[in-house]
Amino acid sequence: FYYMLPAENRLTKDRDYEILFTEGKFAGSNFVTAKMWVIEPEKYPRRNYLKTDLKIGFLVSKKVDKRAVVRNRLKRQMREVVRLLLKDNKLKPGSMIAFMAKPEAKTAEYQDLETDILFILKRMRVLYD
């Protein structure tokens, strides 16, 4: 019953999001889109990125739903999918990923979100087979 990602896997800084959205590539599916950037430490030497970092963030905009309760539930569900993958060492290090819920996501079941996130991670080649 633990929703947080380990601190070293959290994408928290605005600057990190900025870099991710500038440099990253998009991948989408039915309920979730994601932006992913393979970390290049030499590009931003002052950020102290490592090739072994894996930073993940979750975004749910007010366009999805005005109610914070709904947005937070979506974030918790997406976070849980990723947390379990991290726990089982299913994710390759070396990238930053932001998952963004689409408006369709609020009617989705947990399983649908899980399927979508796995699909995106496979397409981005971040998932160990």
Side-chain angles (χ1 to χ4, degrees), residues 5 7 9-26 33-37 39 44 47 49 54-61 75 78-79 95-101:
L5 288 182
N9 295 124
R10 282 184 229 151
L11 195 50
T12 52
K13 307 261 186 309
D14 285 349
R15 184 77 181 104
D16 291 346
Y17 275 104
E18 253 172 62
I19 292 169
L20 171 59
F21 280 93
T22 317
E23 303 277 345
K25 291 188 172 66
F26 258 109
T33 54
K35 192 104 189 201
M36 178 219 176
W37 177 56
I39 296 174
Y44 300 95
R47 302 294 299 163
Y49 294 139
L54 178 60
K55 302 268 188 202
I56 301 169
F58 303 90
L59 305 166
V60 183
S61 91
K75 277 188 268 192
M78 293 193 296
R79 204 178 295 130
S95 52
M96 275 201 229
I97 308 168
F99 290 102
M100 293 153 286

mmCIF file of all heavy atoms in Angstrom, residues 5 7 9-26 33-37 39 44 47 49 54-61 75 78-79 95-101:
data_model
loop_
_atom_site.group_PDB
_atom_site.id
_atom_site.type_symbol
_atom_site.label_atom_id
_atom_site.label_comp_id
_atom_site.label_asym_id
_atom_site.label_seq_id
_atom_site.Cartn_x
_atom_site.Cartn_y
_atom_site.Cartn_z
ATOM 1 N N LEU A 5 7.205 6.539 -5.506
ATOM 2 C CA LEU A 5 8.356 5.943 -6.156
ATOM 3 C C LEU A 5 9.564 6.226 -5.268
ATOM 4 O O LEU A 5 9.574 7.211 -4.541
ATOM 5 C CB LEU A 5 8.610 6.605 -7.520
ATOM 6 C CG LEU A 5 7.655 6.316 -8.661
ATOM 7 C CD1 LEU A 5 8.133 7.029 -9.905
ATOM 8 C CD2 LEU A 5 7.559 4.844 -8.939
ATOM 9 N N ALA A 7 12.874 7.833 -4.097
ATOM 10 C CA ALA A 7 13.273 9.222 -4.357
ATOM 11 C C ALA A 7 14.184 9.348 -5.575
ATOM 12 O O ALA A 7 14.054 10.289 -6.361
ATOM 13 C CB ALA A 7 13.955 9.798 -3.122
ATOM 14 N N ASN A 9 14.160 7.825 -8.235
ATOM 15 C CA ASN A 9 13.452 7.618 -9.500
ATOM 16 C C ASN A 9 12.412 8.695 -9.777
ATOM 17 O O ASN A 9 11.673 8.608 -10.755
ATOM 18 C CB ASN A 9 12.761 6.254 -9.509
ATOM 19 C CG ASN A 9 13.746 5.117 -9.466
ATOM 20 O OD1 ASN A 9 13.687 4.280 -8.602
ATOM 21 N ND2 ASN A 9 14.681 5.102 -10.400
ATOM 22 N N ARG A 10 12.329 9.697 -8.917
ATOM 23 C CA ARG A 10 11.315 10.727 -9.112
ATOM 24 C C ARG A 10 11.834 11.879 -9.952
ATOM 25 O O ARG A 10 12.940 12.344 -9.766
ATOM 26 C CB ARG A 10 10.849 11.290 -7.763
ATOM 27 C CG ARG A 10 9.884 10.365 -7.074
ATOM 28 C CD ARG A 10 9.369 10.977 -5.797
ATOM 29 N NE ARG A 10 9.501 9.976 -4.747
ATOM 30 C CZ ARG A 10 9.685 10.257 -3.477
ATOM 31 N NH1 ARG A 10 9.757 11.491 -3.055
ATOM 32 N NH2 ARG A 10 9.793 9.283 -2.600
ATOM 33 N N LEU A 11 10.984 12.316 -10.859
ATOM 34 C CA LEU A 11 11.276 13.494 -11.660
ATOM 35 C C LEU A 11 10.607 14.662 -10.947
ATOM 36 O O LEU A 11 9.383 14.749 -10.908
ATOM 37 C CB LEU A 11 10.682 13.277 -13.057
ATOM 38 C CG LEU A 11 11.105 14.171 -14.197
ATOM 39 C CD1 LEU A 11 12.611 14.267 -14.289
ATOM 40 C CD2 LEU A 11 10.554 13.637 -15.497
ATOM 41 N N THR A 12 11.402 15.542 -10.334
ATOM 42 C CA THR A 12 10.801 16.578 -9.502
ATOM 43 C C THR A 12 11.087 17.995 -9.981
ATOM 44 O O THR A 12 10.248 18.865 -9.888
ATOM 45 C CB THR A 12 11.321 16.467 -8.052
ATOM 46 O OG1 THR A 12 12.753 16.443 -8.081
ATOM 47 C CG2 THR A 12 10.804 15.215 -7.380
ATOM 48 N N LYS A 13 12.277 18.240 -10.504
ATOM 49 C CA LYS A 13 12.689 19.601 -10.817
ATOM 50 C C LYS A 13 12.066 20.129 -12.116
ATOM 51 O O LYS A 13 12.013 19.409 -13.107
ATOM 52 C CB LYS A 13 14.216 19.669 -10.947
ATOM 53 C CG LYS A 13 14.973 19.102 -9.764
ATOM 54 C CD LYS A 13 15.426 20.220 -8.850
ATOM 55 C CE LYS A 13 16.308 19.770 -7.717
ATOM 56 N NZ LYS A 13 15.815 18.660 -6.909
ATOM 57 N N ASP A 14 11.611 21.373 -12.080
ATOM 58 C CA ASP A 14 11.056 21.999 -13.285
ATOM 59 C C ASP A 14 12.050 21.956 -14.437
ATOM 60 O O ASP A 14 11.681 21.713 -15.581
ATOM 61 C CB ASP A 14 10.680 23.468 -13.009
ATOM 62 C CG ASP A 14 9.405 23.577 -12.185
ATOM 63 O OD1 ASP A 14 8.723 22.549 -12.028
ATOM 64 O OD2 ASP A 14 9.098 24.680 -11.717
ATOM 65 N N ARG A 15 13.315 22.220 -14.119
ATOM 66 C CA ARG A 15 14.346 22.233 -15.161
ATOM 67 C C ARG A 15 14.463 20.866 -15.833
ATOM 68 O O ARG A 15 14.686 20.776 -17.038
ATOM 69 C CB ARG A 15 15.686 22.658 -14.540
ATOM 70 C CG ARG A 15 16.830 22.796 -15.518
ATOM 71 C CD ARG A 15 16.738 24.084 -16.332
ATOM 72 N NE ARG A 15 17.854 24.141 -17.280
ATOM 73 C CZ ARG A 15 17.713 23.900 -18.584
ATOM 74 N NH1 ARG A 15 16.519 23.619 -19.079
ATOM 75 N NH2 ARG A 15 18.749 23.963 -19.381
ATOM 76 N N ASP A 16 14.321 19.800 -15.051
ATOM 77 C CA ASP A 16 14.394 18.450 -15.617
ATOM 78 C C ASP A 16 13.231 18.212 -16.581
ATOM 79 O O ASP A 16 13.405 17.639 -17.657
ATOM 80 C CB ASP A 16 14.389 17.390 -14.514
ATOM 81 C CG ASP A 16 15.682 17.419 -13.690
ATOM 82 O OD1 ASP A 16 16.646 18.059 -14.128
ATOM 83 O OD2 ASP A 16 15.699 16.805 -12.611
ATOM 84 N N TYR A 17 12.047 18.672 -16.187
ATOM 85 C CA TYR A 17 10.889 18.555 -17.080
ATOM 86 C C TYR A 17 11.132 19.349 -18.364
ATOM 87 O O TYR A 17 10.815 18.895 -19.456
ATOM 88 C CB TYR A 17 9.611 19.044 -16.389
ATOM 89 C CG TYR A 17 8.927 17.988 -15.540
ATOM 90 C CD1 TYR A 17 9.017 18.014 -14.158
ATOM 91 C CD2 TYR A 17 8.199 16.961 -16.126
ATOM 92 C CE1 TYR A 17 8.392 17.051 -13.382
ATOM 93 C CE2 TYR A 17 7.564 15.992 -15.363
ATOM 94 C CZ TYR A 17 7.664 16.042 -13.985
ATOM 95 O OH TYR A 17 7.053 15.085 -13.228
ATOM 96 N N GLU A 18 11.698 20.559 -18.209
ATOM 97 C CA GLU A 18 11.997 21.403 -19.373
ATOM 98 C C GLU A 18 12.903 20.676 -20.352
ATOM 99 O O GLU A 18 12.629 20.623 -21.552
ATOM 100 C CB GLU A 18 12.734 22.667 -18.914
ATOM 101 C CG GLU A 18 11.924 23.927 -18.952
ATOM 102 C CD GLU A 18 12.695 25.076 -18.301
ATOM 103 O OE1 GLU A 18 13.787 25.423 -18.820
ATOM 104 O OE2 GLU A 18 12.212 25.596 -17.279
ATOM 105 N N ILE A 19 13.997 20.135 -19.820
ATOM 106 C CA ILE A 19 14.953 19.404 -20.664
ATOM 107 C C ILE A 19 14.251 18.220 -21.322
ATOM 108 O O ILE A 19 14.383 17.994 -22.527
ATOM 109 C CB ILE A 19 16.170 18.935 -19.828
ATOM 110 C CG1 ILE A 19 16.999 20.148 -19.393
ATOM 111 C CG2 ILE A 19 17.026 17.955 -20.624
ATOM 112 C CD1 ILE A 19 18.070 19.845 -18.365
ATOM 113 N N LEU A 20 13.477 17.495 -20.542
ATOM 114 C CA LEU A 20 12.767 16.322 -21.054
ATOM 115 C C LEU A 20 11.841 16.702 -22.216
ATOM 116 O O LEU A 20 11.807 16.033 -23.245
ATOM 117 C CB LEU A 20 11.976 15.665 -19.930
ATOM 118 C CG LEU A 20 11.004 14.546 -20.288
ATOM 119 C CD1 LEU A 20 11.712 13.391 -20.971
ATOM 120 C CD2 LEU A 20 10.306 14.041 -19.045
ATOM 121 N N PHE A 21 11.098 17.799 -22.046
ATOM 122 C CA PHE A 21 10.147 18.173 -23.091
ATOM 123 C C PHE A 21 10.821 18.780 -24.313
ATOM 124 O O PHE A 21 10.282 18.734 -25.410
ATOM 125 C CB PHE A 21 9.043 19.074 -22.530
ATOM 126 C CG PHE A 21 7.984 18.283 -21.822
ATOM 127 C CD1 PHE A 21 8.058 18.060 -20.454
ATOM 128 C CD2 PHE A 21 6.951 17.701 -22.529
ATOM 129 C CE1 PHE A 21 7.109 17.290 -19.808
ATOM 130 C CE2 PHE A 21 5.995 16.922 -21.894
ATOM 131 C CZ PHE A 21 6.070 16.725 -20.534
ATOM 132 N N THR A 22 12.021 19.347 -24.125
ATOM 133 C CA THR A 22 12.764 19.887 -25.261
ATOM 134 C C THR A 22 13.421 18.762 -26.045
ATOM 135 O O THR A 22 13.348 18.703 -27.273
ATOM 136 C CB THR A 22 13.875 20.847 -24.767
ATOM 137 O OG1 THR A 22 13.332 21.664 -23.731
ATOM 138 C CG2 THR A 22 14.378 21.724 -25.897
ATOM 139 N N GLU A 23 14.075 17.858 -25.317
ATOM 140 C CA GLU A 23 14.903 16.837 -25.954
ATOM 141 C C GLU A 23 14.146 15.553 -26.271
ATOM 142 O O GLU A 23 14.554 14.789 -27.139
ATOM 143 C CB GLU A 23 16.063 16.446 -25.011
ATOM 144 C CG GLU A 23 16.944 17.589 -24.574
ATOM 145 C CD GLU A 23 18.004 17.930 -25.601
ATOM 146 O OE1 GLU A 23 18.225 17.112 -26.514
ATOM 147 O OE2 GLU A 23 18.588 19.010 -25.486
ATOM 148 N N GLY A 24 13.073 15.294 -25.518
ATOM 149 C CA GLY A 24 12.455 13.972 -25.539
ATOM 150 C C GLY A 24 11.666 13.626 -26.791
ATOM 151 O O GLY A 24 11.351 14.469 -27.611
ATOM 152 N N LYS A 25 11.349 12.347 -26.889
ATOM 153 C CA LYS A 25 10.507 11.843 -27.981
ATOM 154 C C LYS A 25 9.168 11.408 -27.394
ATOM 155 O O LYS A 25 9.109 10.910 -26.284
ATOM 156 C CB LYS A 25 11.178 10.625 -28.625
ATOM 157 C CG LYS A 25 12.441 10.969 -29.382
ATOM 158 C CD LYS A 25 12.933 9.744 -30.141
ATOM 159 C CE LYS A 25 14.087 10.065 -31.061
ATOM 160 N NZ LYS A 25 15.305 10.457 -30.327
ATOM 161 N N PHE A 26 8.126 11.548 -28.208
ATOM 162 C CA PHE A 26 6.781 11.191 -27.774
ATOM 163 C C PHE A 26 6.435 9.753 -28.112
ATOM 164 O O PHE A 26 6.885 9.222 -29.116
ATOM 165 C CB PHE A 26 5.755 12.076 -28.484
ATOM 166 C CG PHE A 26 5.241 13.174 -27.620
ATOM 167 C CD1 PHE A 26 5.605 14.491 -27.852
ATOM 168 C CD2 PHE A 26 4.390 12.906 -26.558
ATOM 169 C CE1 PHE A 26 5.143 15.508 -27.051
ATOM 170 C CE2 PHE A 26 3.921 13.917 -25.751
ATOM 171 C CZ PHE A 26 4.291 15.223 -25.996
ATOM 172 N N THR A 33 -0.040 9.276 -22.787
ATOM 173 C CA THR A 33 1.069 9.577 -23.690
ATOM 174 C C THR A 33 2.299 9.725 -22.809
ATOM 175 O O THR A 33 2.182 9.949 -21.611
ATOM 176 C CB THR A 33 0.873 10.881 -24.492
ATOM 177 O OG1 THR A 33 0.605 11.925 -23.573
ATOM 178 C CG2 THR A 33 -0.213 10.768 -25.511
ATOM 179 N N ALA A 34 3.461 9.621 -23.419
ATOM 180 C CA ALA A 34 4.678 9.745 -22.634
ATOM 181 C C ALA A 34 5.725 10.470 -23.445
ATOM 182 O O ALA A 34 5.703 10.454 -24.680
ATOM 183 C CB ALA A 34 5.191 8.379 -22.236
ATOM 184 N N LYS A 35 6.600 11.124 -22.736
ATOM 185 C CA LYS A 35 7.734 11.780 -23.361
ATOM 186 C C LYS A 35 8.956 11.147 -22.722
ATOM 187 O O LYS A 35 9.025 11.020 -21.500
ATOM 188 C CB LYS A 35 7.673 13.281 -23.053
ATOM 189 C CG LYS A 35 8.628 14.092 -23.876
ATOM 190 C CD LYS A 35 7.894 14.821 -24.981
ATOM 191 C CE LYS A 35 8.912 15.431 -25.914
ATOM 192 N NZ LYS A 35 8.390 16.519 -26.700
ATOM 193 N N MET A 36 9.928 10.752 -23.542
ATOM 194 C CA MET A 36 11.092 10.071 -23.000
ATOM 195 C C MET A 36 12.364 10.638 -23.584
ATOM 196 O O MET A 36 12.431 10.933 -24.766
ATOM 197 C CB MET A 36 11.013 8.586 -23.319
ATOM 198 C CG MET A 36 12.201 7.817 -22.844
ATOM 199 S SD MET A 36 12.581 6.612 -24.083
ATOM 200 C CE MET A 36 14.039 5.909 -23.418
ATOM 201 N N TRP A 37 13.348 10.809 -22.734
ATOM 202 C CA TRP A 37 14.658 11.282 -23.177
ATOM 203 C C TRP A 37 15.723 10.353 -22.635
ATOM 204 O O TRP A 37 15.768 10.097 -21.441
ATOM 205 C CB TRP A 37 14.901 12.713 -22.676
ATOM 206 C CG TRP A 37 16.247 13.268 -23.012
ATOM 207 C CD1 TRP A 37 16.804 13.380 -24.246
ATOM 208 C CD2 TRP A 37 17.228 13.788 -22.101
ATOM 209 N NE1 TRP A 37 18.042 13.939 -24.158
ATOM 210 C CE2 TRP A 37 18.337 14.206 -22.853
ATOM 211 C CE3 TRP A 37 17.255 13.939 -20.710
ATOM 212 C CZ2 TRP A 37 19.469 14.761 -22.276
ATOM 213 C CZ3 TRP A 37 18.386 14.496 -20.129
ATOM 214 C CH2 TRP A 37 19.480 14.898 -20.913
ATOM 215 N N ILE A 39 19.103 9.829 -21.330
ATOM 216 C CA ILE A 39 19.982 10.798 -20.669
ATOM 217 C C ILE A 39 21.360 10.867 -21.322
ATOM 218 O O ILE A 39 22.004 9.840 -21.540
ATOM 219 C CB ILE A 39 20.125 10.447 -19.163
ATOM 220 C CG1 ILE A 39 18.755 10.593 -18.482
ATOM 221 C CG2 ILE A 39 21.160 11.344 -18.489
ATOM 222 C CD1 ILE A 39 18.719 10.153 -17.046
ATOM 223 N N TYR A 44 24.273 18.253 -20.516
ATOM 224 C CA TYR A 44 23.951 19.155 -19.406
ATOM 225 C C TYR A 44 24.869 18.829 -18.232
ATOM 226 O O TYR A 44 24.418 18.274 -17.230
ATOM 227 C CB TYR A 44 22.482 18.987 -18.982
ATOM 228 C CG TYR A 44 21.513 19.296 -20.088
ATOM 229 C CD1 TYR A 44 21.012 18.293 -20.895
ATOM 230 C CD2 TYR A 44 21.107 20.608 -20.330
ATOM 231 C CE1 TYR A 44 20.123 18.581 -21.923
ATOM 232 C CE2 TYR A 44 20.220 20.898 -21.356
ATOM 233 C CZ TYR A 44 19.737 19.886 -22.145
ATOM 234 O OH TYR A 44 18.869 20.174 -23.158
ATOM 235 N N ARG A 47 23.903 19.505 -14.517
ATOM 236 C CA ARG A 47 22.765 18.825 -13.889
ATOM 237 C C ARG A 47 23.187 17.542 -13.160
ATOM 238 O O ARG A 47 22.390 16.923 -12.477
ATOM 239 C CB ARG A 47 21.696 18.454 -14.931
ATOM 240 C CG ARG A 47 21.127 19.588 -15.739
ATOM 241 C CD ARG A 47 20.326 20.603 -14.954
ATOM 242 N NE ARG A 47 19.158 20.027 -14.304
ATOM 243 C CZ ARG A 47 18.510 20.640 -13.312
ATOM 244 N NH1 ARG A 47 18.913 21.798 -12.872
ATOM 245 N NH2 ARG A 47 17.458 20.085 -12.768
ATOM 246 N N TYR A 49 23.628 14.509 -14.261
ATOM 247 C CA TYR A 49 22.905 13.297 -14.635
ATOM 248 C C TYR A 49 23.890 12.152 -14.756
ATOM 249 O O TYR A 49 25.053 12.351 -15.085
ATOM 250 C CB TYR A 49 22.215 13.479 -15.996
ATOM 251 C CG TYR A 49 21.117 14.490 -16.019
ATOM 252 C CD1 TYR A 49 20.985 15.354 -17.095
ATOM 253 C CD2 TYR A 49 20.184 14.571 -14.993
ATOM 254 C CE1 TYR A 49 19.961 16.289 -17.142
ATOM 255 C CE2 TYR A 49 19.163 15.497 -15.024
ATOM 256 C CZ TYR A 49 19.057 16.356 -16.106
ATOM 257 O OH TYR A 49 18.047 17.263 -16.156
ATOM 258 N N LEU A 54 17.275 6.791 -13.684
ATOM 259 C CA LEU A 54 15.975 6.534 -14.286
ATOM 260 C C LEU A 54 14.990 7.426 -13.536
ATOM 261 O O LEU A 54 14.688 7.179 -12.380
ATOM 262 C CB LEU A 54 15.576 5.063 -14.153
ATOM 263 C CG LEU A 54 14.201 4.690 -14.706
ATOM 264 C CD1 LEU A 54 14.107 4.985 -16.195
ATOM 265 C CD2 LEU A 54 13.883 3.237 -14.447
ATOM 266 N N LYS A 55 14.561 8.493 -14.204
ATOM 267 C CA LYS A 55 13.677 9.457 -13.547
ATOM 268 C C LYS A 55 12.310 9.391 -14.219
ATOM 269 O O LYS A 55 12.214 9.422 -15.446
ATOM 270 C CB LYS A 55 14.226 10.880 -13.703
ATOM 271 C CG LYS A 55 15.624 11.052 -13.147
ATOM 272 C CD LYS A 55 15.566 11.493 -11.722
ATOM 273 C CE LYS A 55 16.941 11.860 -11.199
ATOM 274 N NZ LYS A 55 16.968 11.789 -9.751
ATOM 275 N N ILE A 56 11.260 9.327 -13.384
ATOM 276 C CA ILE A 56 9.923 9.190 -13.937
ATOM 277 C C ILE A 56 8.982 10.194 -13.275
ATOM 278 O O ILE A 56 9.006 10.357 -12.058
ATOM 279 C CB ILE A 56 9.409 7.755 -13.726
ATOM 280 C CG1 ILE A 56 10.380 6.779 -14.404
ATOM 281 C CG2 ILE A 56 8.006 7.590 -14.304
ATOM 282 C CD1 ILE A 56 10.153 5.349 -14.079
ATOM 283 N N GLY A 57 8.173 10.850 -14.098
ATOM 284 C CA GLY A 57 7.197 11.797 -13.585
ATOM 285 C C GLY A 57 5.814 11.484 -14.133
ATOM 286 O O GLY A 57 5.677 10.782 -15.142
ATOM 287 N N PHE A 58 4.797 12.024 -13.465
ATOM 288 C CA PHE A 58 3.412 11.763 -13.867
ATOM 289 C C PHE A 58 2.654 13.081 -13.918
ATOM 290 O O PHE A 58 2.701 13.853 -12.957
ATOM 291 C CB PHE A 58 2.741 10.811 -12.871
ATOM 292 C CG PHE A 58 3.478 9.514 -12.739
ATOM 293 C CD1 PHE A 58 4.471 9.368 -11.788
ATOM 294 C CD2 PHE A 58 3.211 8.460 -13.590
ATOM 295 C CE1 PHE A 58 5.185 8.182 -11.680
ATOM 296 C CE2 PHE A 58 3.912 7.268 -13.489
ATOM 297 C CZ PHE A 58 4.897 7.136 -12.536
ATOM 298 N N LEU A 59 1.981 13.321 -15.040
ATOM 299 C CA LEU A 59 1.249 14.575 -15.195
ATOM 300 C C LEU A 59 -0.200 14.280 -15.560
ATOM 301 O O LEU A 59 -0.471 13.438 -16.405
ATOM 302 C CB LEU A 59 1.876 15.409 -16.321
ATOM 303 C CG LEU A 59 3.369 15.716 -16.206
ATOM 304 C CD1 LEU A 59 3.903 16.220 -17.527
ATOM 305 C CD2 LEU A 59 3.603 16.723 -15.115
ATOM 306 N N VAL A 60 -1.111 14.990 -14.898
ATOM 307 C CA VAL A 60 -2.524 14.909 -15.255
ATOM 308 C C VAL A 60 -3.030 16.348 -15.255
ATOM 309 O O VAL A 60 -3.115 16.970 -14.213
ATOM 310 C CB VAL A 60 -3.334 14.052 -14.259
ATOM 311 C CG1 VAL A 60 -4.787 13.955 -14.719
ATOM 312 C CG2 VAL A 60 -2.734 12.668 -14.129
ATOM 313 N N SER A 61 -3.330 16.857 -16.441
ATOM 314 C CA SER A 61 -3.700 18.270 -16.528
ATOM 315 C C SER A 61 -5.168 18.483 -16.175
ATOM 316 O O SER A 61 -5.964 17.540 -16.138
ATOM 317 C CB SER A 61 -3.408 18.806 -17.928
ATOM 318 O OG SER A 61 -4.548 18.661 -18.747
ATOM 319 N N LYS A 75 -2.954 9.783 -11.157
ATOM 320 C CA LYS A 75 -1.508 9.799 -10.885
ATOM 321 C C LYS A 75 -1.108 8.621 -10.006
ATOM 322 O O LYS A 75 -0.105 7.966 -10.258
ATOM 323 C CB LYS A 75 -1.089 11.114 -10.211
ATOM 324 C CG LYS A 75 -0.863 12.223 -11.220
ATOM 325 C CD LYS A 75 -0.270 13.449 -10.576
ATOM 326 C CE LYS A 75 -1.392 14.375 -10.162
ATOM 327 N NZ LYS A 75 -0.946 15.717 -9.786
ATOM 328 N N MET A 78 -1.141 5.395 -12.152
ATOM 329 C CA MET A 78 0.012 5.306 -13.063
ATOM 330 C C MET A 78 1.289 5.035 -12.273
ATOM 331 O O MET A 78 2.119 4.221 -12.660
ATOM 332 C CB MET A 78 0.164 6.598 -13.872
ATOM 333 C CG MET A 78 -0.971 6.843 -14.856
ATOM 334 S SD MET A 78 -0.630 8.140 -16.075
ATOM 335 C CE MET A 78 -0.486 9.612 -15.076
ATOM 336 N N ARG A 79 1.413 5.719 -11.134
ATOM 337 C CA ARG A 79 2.604 5.567 -10.298
ATOM 338 C C ARG A 79 2.726 4.134 -9.809
ATOM 339 O O ARG A 79 3.825 3.571 -9.766
ATOM 340 C CB ARG A 79 2.518 6.526 -9.114
ATOM 341 C CG ARG A 79 3.860 6.874 -8.535
ATOM 342 C CD ARG A 79 3.768 7.863 -7.392
ATOM 343 N NE ARG A 79 3.281 9.164 -7.810
ATOM 344 C CZ ARG A 79 2.280 9.828 -7.196
ATOM 345 N NH1 ARG A 79 1.659 9.301 -6.157
ATOM 346 N NH2 ARG A 79 1.909 11.005 -7.626
ATOM 347 N N SER A 95 17.227 6.853 -18.602
ATOM 348 C CA SER A 95 16.313 7.768 -19.277
ATOM 349 C C SER A 95 15.418 8.511 -18.300
ATOM 350 O O SER A 95 15.331 8.170 -17.125
ATOM 351 C CB SER A 95 15.454 7.006 -20.293
ATOM 352 O OG SER A 95 14.851 5.902 -19.688
ATOM 353 N N MET A 96 14.792 9.561 -18.843
ATOM 354 C CA MET A 96 13.789 10.324 -18.109
ATOM 355 C C MET A 96 12.477 10.147 -18.842
ATOM 356 O O MET A 96 12.435 10.255 -20.067
ATOM 357 C CB MET A 96 14.138 11.812 -18.166
ATOM 358 C CG MET A 96 15.096 12.269 -17.150
ATOM 359 S SD MET A 96 14.847 14.027 -17.051
ATOM 360 C CE MET A 96 16.460 14.605 -17.153
ATOM 361 N N ILE A 97 11.432 9.870 -18.099
ATOM 362 C CA ILE A 97 10.130 9.642 -18.731
ATOM 363 C C ILE A 97 9.053 10.418 -17.973
ATOM 364 O O ILE A 97 9.036 10.417 -16.753
ATOM 365 C CB ILE A 97 9.762 8.142 -18.702
ATOM 366 C CG1 ILE A 97 10.893 7.299 -19.280
ATOM 367 C CG2 ILE A 97 8.464 7.889 -19.461
ATOM 368 C CD1 ILE A 97 10.753 5.817 -19.028
ATOM 369 N N ALA A 98 8.177 11.067 -18.717
ATOM 370 C CA ALA A 98 7.008 11.694 -18.105
ATOM 371 C C ALA A 98 5.771 11.060 -18.717
ATOM 372 O O ALA A 98 5.631 11.017 -19.944
ATOM 373 C CB ALA A 98 7.008 13.200 -18.344
ATOM 374 N N PHE A 99 4.899 10.535 -17.879
ATOM 375 C CA PHE A 99 3.634 9.968 -18.345
ATOM 376 C C PHE A 99 2.538 11.011 -18.180
ATOM 377 O O PHE A 99 2.406 11.602 -17.122
ATOM 378 C CB PHE A 99 3.272 8.717 -17.542
ATOM 379 C CG PHE A 99 4.166 7.545 -17.827
ATOM 380 C CD1 PHE A 99 5.172 7.198 -16.940
ATOM 381 C CD2 PHE A 99 4.007 6.809 -18.986
ATOM 382 C CE1 PHE A 99 6.009 6.128 -17.201
ATOM 383 C CE2 PHE A 99 4.833 5.736 -19.261
ATOM 384 C CZ PHE A 99 5.844 5.400 -18.365
ATOM 385 N N MET A 100 1.750 11.211 -19.234
ATOM 386 C CA MET A 100 0.664 12.177 -19.176
ATOM 387 C C MET A 100 -0.652 11.484 -19.474
ATOM 388 O O MET A 100 -0.781 10.801 -20.495
ATOM 389 C CB MET A 100 0.915 13.283 -20.201
ATOM 390 C CG MET A 100 2.138 14.120 -19.841
ATOM 391 S SD MET A 100 2.920 14.863 -21.259
ATOM 392 C CE MET A 100 3.729 13.462 -22.017
ATOM 393 N N ALA A 101 -1.603 11.661 -18.584
ATOM 394 C CA ALA A 101 -2.903 11.035 -18.778
ATOM 395 C C ALA A 101 -3.691 11.818 -19.825
ATOM 396 O O ALA A 101 -3.638 13.038 -19.869
ATOM 397 C CB ALA A 101 -3.664 11.004 -17.469
#
